[in-house]
Amino acid sequence: MRHRVSRPRKRALAVGLALIVAVLAPSGSAGAADRYEWAALGDSYTAGGFVGAPQPALGDASRDGCDRTSDAYPGVVERELDEFPPGKPVHLTNVSCGNATIADVAAARQTPISPVQPPADGWPAVDPQIERAGLNDQTDVVTVGVGGNSLPFGGMLLTCLTKGATGASCRDHYTNPPEGEESVQDKLARVQDEYIEMLARVHQAAPHAKVITVGYPAVLPEEGSACNRLSLSELGSITHADVDWLRDDVLKPLNNTIRQVSEFFGDRYVDVYSSSVGHDACQPADTKWVEGICGAAEDYWPGNLPGTLLDCRLIGKRITLVHPNAAGHANAAAHVERAIRIALLER
């Protein structure tokens, strides 16, 4: 099925292609003499949210509402690189932010939505992550884990949860959407265009850096029937058919889009999906690497979702909305660390 390209999409492609011309020109080497510079960009699957201690710590004046945590994969990799440095120390600048979209990485100011100790007047907007990270010609490695919120995958999950509770199909909703809403095909096409523009901007800002993109893990089981629809610690009321659709027609194509765009730029794509199959949100607690709608989280993390009827405190859990736990981040860290070490060897 062919889709007409909208004016915003044409502009995104034009900007992306113009930047590609600039960034594919030959360039020299980078890096400070005494250390490597690594910048981590991304959304909550990079920031961590509820995994480990908040960074900055609770009460710190520099908290920005982005919910970065110590046991998210950037922190895990940082500790490994500190213990076994790849020739010289690696300095991490982590500006990942919960709820970040591709645009928030590339060029847009993001207003964080952290539910943890927000200021009375809300969190102030933060600069685009490319700017916050200070990417420049001395940056050696950039890792990027983003894309889900641009669909948005979380919003689609909540729609499927609501429709599943009434016996309706969210697949039908997104395949033949109501007036004014994108189909899933159009969402994925738009994400591809946005990802092209973002990676072009990353390369433009850090012309000598090795860029590593990180895909999403297997948050959904290989068979939707593996889920208990009575359990909010899994995927709740989402129908088994919709679980299969979300996996095959949304999550896998999203990862494939990220991989294809990365390969187009000559960047390294980190596949964390393959290694996490069988550790999805519908597995037992000691097997899952992804928490369900409700799940295990640190004590500072909330148990209810404001503005909704969803209250995980009723089952002794916290709001986790299908995000990686510490084991999931440890798996991602192993793959990202390997990719960084290879990238630095190639410098």
Side-chain angles (χ1 to χ4, degrees):
M1 180 179 181
R2 298 180 61 85
H3 300 281
R4 190 164 31 181
V5 179
S6 67
R7 182 170 297 179
R9 282 189 58 210
K10 286 181 179 178
R11 180 181 180 279
L13 284 170
V15 172
L17 290 172
L19 290 173
I20 290 166
V21 172
V23 304
L24 293 184
S27 59
S29 61
D34 59 341
R35 69 185 189 187
Y36 291 117
E37 295 292 336
W38 164 32
L41 320 178
D43 57 25
S44 54
Y45 275 61
T46 298
F50 53 81
V51 181
Q55 292 183 328
L58 298 180
D60 192 303
S62 64
R63 280 181 56 76
D64 56 8
C66 283
D67 290 325
R68 291 179 296 277
T69 57
S70 60
D71 291 341
Y73 74 76
V76 177
V77 173
E78 180 184 31
R79 293 192 288 273
E80 288 296 315
L81 295 176
D82 282 347
E83 186 172 359
F84 304 103
K88 56 185 177 181
V90 178
H91 175 253
L92 168 63
T93 301
N94 182 2
V95 295
S96 58
C97 194
N99 205 47
T101 63
I102 297 169
D104 295 330
V105 169
R109 285 174 60 80
Q110 178 186 357
T111 301
I113 60 170
S114 172
V116 181
Q117 298 182 354
D121 53 353
W123 297 104
V126 296
D127 288 333
Q129 291 184 28
I130 287 176
E131 294 181 21
R132 295 194 81 193
L135 299 189
N136 57 36
D137 60 3
Q138 297 299 304
T139 305
D140 295 284
V141 178
V142 179
T143 56
V144 190
V146 74
N149 291 318
S150 293
L151 286 173
F153 189 72
M156 295 175 75
L157 276 177
L158 289 174
T159 297
C160 291
L161 193 69
T162 301
K163 288 191 172 295
T166 64
S169 166
C170 75
R171 174 181 182 171
D172 290 347
H173 175 85
Y174 287 111
T175 303
N176 300 290
E179 184 72 25
E181 179 152 4
E182 294 176 303
S183 69
V184 69
Q185 295 90 345
D186 287 336
K187 287 176 182 291
L188 289 164
R190 173 178 50 75
V191 164
Q192 175 178 282
D193 298 343
E194 292 174 354
Y195 214 92
I196 290 171
E197 181 175 350
M198 178 201 68
L199 279 188
R201 290 183 180 276
V202 168
H203 280 282
Q204 184 182 50
H208 308 313
K210 296 289 186 179
V211 178
I212 299 166
T213 63
V214 184
Y216 289 89
V219 302
L220 308 169
E222 291 300 284
E223 295 290 341
S225 57
C227 296
N228 176 2
R229 294 189 61 208
L230 299 178
S231 175
L232 282 173
S233 63
E234 296 183 13
L235 297 176
S237 58
I238 301 177
T239 69
H240 293 161
D242 281 341
V243 170
D244 290 331
W245 173 76
L246 283 165
R247 181 193 62 247
D248 292 337
D249 288 19
V250 183
L251 180 57
K252 287 184 176 180
L254 173 62
N255 275 337
N256 193 47
T257 295
I258 296 170
R259 179 187 59 78
Q260 289 181 333
V261 175
S262 302
E263 290 176 351
F264 173 73
F265 278 88
D267 297 330
R268 186 180 301 278
Y269 170 72
V270 175
D271 170 22
V272 294
Y273 188 100
S274 298
S275 58
S276 58
V277 170
H279 298 280
D280 54 83
C282 292
Q283 301 302 317
D286 60 353
T287 303
K288 65 173 63 183
W289 291 354
V290 179
E291 298 299 317
I293 303 297
C294 302
E298 300 291 342
D299 290 346
Y300 60 79
W301 199 249
N304 65 314
L305 188 62
T308 74
L309 297 176
L310 187 57
D311 191 341
C312 297
R313 296 172 297 184
L314 299 175
I315 58 172
K317 301 289 185 180
R318 297 178 186 275
I319 293 287
T320 46
L321 296 179
V322 195
H323 278 72
N325 55 28
H329 278 281
N331 179 64
H335 293 277
V336 173
E337 179 189 352
R338 178 177 181 274
I340 290 175
R341 290 185 184 276
I342 292 172
L344 293 177
L345 281 173
E346 294 173 345
R347 294 206 56 76

